[in-house]
Amino acid sequence: MKRTGVFYHDICGKEAYSSLAMGVEDGFMGIEKAGLFSNPNVTFFESRPAVEAEIARIHTQGWINEVKRSQWWRVSLYSIGGVLQATEKVLKGELDNALVIAGVGGHHAHRDSAWGGCYFSVTGLAIPHARELFKARRFAIVDTDTHHADGVRDIFKDDDEVLHICFCHNYGWDYEPGSLTANETKLCFSHGSSDETEIENVRREVPERVKAFKPDMLFWICGMDTHQDSYGTQALTEKAYPRL
């Protein structure tokens, strides 16, 4: 059986970005109530806070200082720290996979700016972290959030050892749907508008590409706006997420 870690800190629920707050805390409580942690192969870890030097691997000091002055600094630290902690445990072989419940988004964060409930590249920061500590080189990022991951794309646009597959609404694309960059590692595809169409789109575009790329680690940005009760356009039900 695969060993799974769940990473979360109460700060991520109680201080979450406004449009995420209910889903973050309720989501973790739902996992607890479902008895997932009674499974011997599932372990809970309290997310640690990231330190500034870890954030500075990608972001400018000016932007770090700006976020420090906001109310989102602390929840950002624990959101990033959970991802870094999970990355470490997977690459050490202590876990086979992990779920990180963050209190802020990350895929709209650029090196020196951000928008849309994102402040730092929560997932992206795991890549230089893994490269520095574990000598891992190749990474795949799959993003099924409703909106285009402009920050992730910008940060890694010239890195052909990062495969980025984004299922996004049809605005803000820097490439046409289905098109490739010169190094053939950055792709955008339309997302589905129901459980079945979303799952079929992912099944068609992701598994073979990831296998061929042979990453050292795969990151999946699930997004918080994909549920039918949220503000996105995918209209997914709870049943879709385990299948994805």
Side-chain angles (χ1 to χ4, degrees):
M1 294 287 289
K2 291 188 179 296
R3 299 158 299 170
T4 297
V6 177
F7 295 78
Y8 175 75
H9 195 285
D10 282 345
I11 286 173
C12 291
K14 298 186 183 306
E15 299 183 15
Y17 182 73
S18 55
S19 63
L20 310 183
M22 184 179 296
V24 171
E25 191 165 26
D26 287 356
F28 179 74
M29 291 173 62
I31 290 173
E32 283 189 307
K33 289 178 181 177
L36 188 64
F37 296 129
S38 64
N39 186 318
N41 297 305
V42 178
T43 305
F44 169 72
F45 297 91
E46 185 174 76
S47 296
R48 69 165 176 87
V51 298
E52 190 170 323
E54 292 170 331
I55 300 172
R57 289 184 176 124
I58 283 180
H59 296 283
T60 65
Q61 190 61 50
W63 180 244
I64 291 171
N65 292 342
E66 187 165 338
V67 179
K68 272 185 179 179
R69 294 190 290 268
S70 77
Q71 70 188 88
W72 310 114
W73 172 248
R74 190 163 73 151
V75 66
S76 294
L77 294 183
Y78 282 94
S79 297
I80 296 164
V83 174
L84 301 185
Q85 193 177 2
T87 299
E88 293 166 10
K89 289 189 175 295
V90 169
L91 289 177
K92 286 178 181 177
E94 297 173 10
L95 295 173
D96 296 296
N97 52 59
L99 170 67
V100 181
I101 303 174
V104 289
H107 73 167
H108 297 312
H110 299 252
R111 293 183 185 276
D112 58 359
S113 64
W115 67 282
C118 302
Y119 301 92
F120 298 115
S121 187
V122 173
T123 302
L125 283 162
I127 291 177
H129 187 72
R131 285 174 170 169
E132 182 174 320
L133 297 186
F134 299 97
K135 309 307 179 187
R137 298 305 309 166
R138 294 172 70 80
F139 301 88
I141 302 174
V142 177
D143 191 328
T144 49
D145 185 272
T146 294
H147 303 99
H148 178 51
D150 56 300
V152 174
R153 182 62 55 89
D154 180 45
I155 290 168
F156 295 106
K157 63 181 182 294
D158 297 320
D159 189 336
D160 62 5
E161 291 189 306
V162 175
L163 172 66
H164 182 221
I165 304 174
C166 182
F167 293 85
C168 42
H169 186 56
N170 60 346
Y171 80 93
W173 275 326
D174 42 1
Y175 304 101
E176 290 300 314
S179 69
L180 299 169
T181 60
N183 58 26
E184 300 189 347
T185 60
K186 310 296 183 288
L187 303 92
C188 287
F189 298 102
S190 297
H191 64 61
S193 56
S194 67
D195 289 3
E196 294 306 320
T197 57
E198 179 77 348
I199 291 165
E200 179 54 33
N201 285 358
V202 172
R203 182 182 290 119
R204 182 179 62 248
E205 305 296 352
V206 171
E208 293 307 315
R209 283 190 169 88
V210 171
K211 287 179 185 177
F213 188 73
K214 298 179 180 178
D216 297 307
M217 194 167 185
L218 166 67
F219 297 95
W220 196 299
I221 301 174
C222 297
M224 286 294 295
D225 52 10
T226 57
H227 191 268
Q228 60 185 356
D229 294 334
S230 188
Y231 53 86
T233 52
Q234 278 135 303
L236 302 185
T237 71
E238 290 87 347
K239 295 179 180 178
Y241 299 100
R243 295 173 65 192
L244 282 170

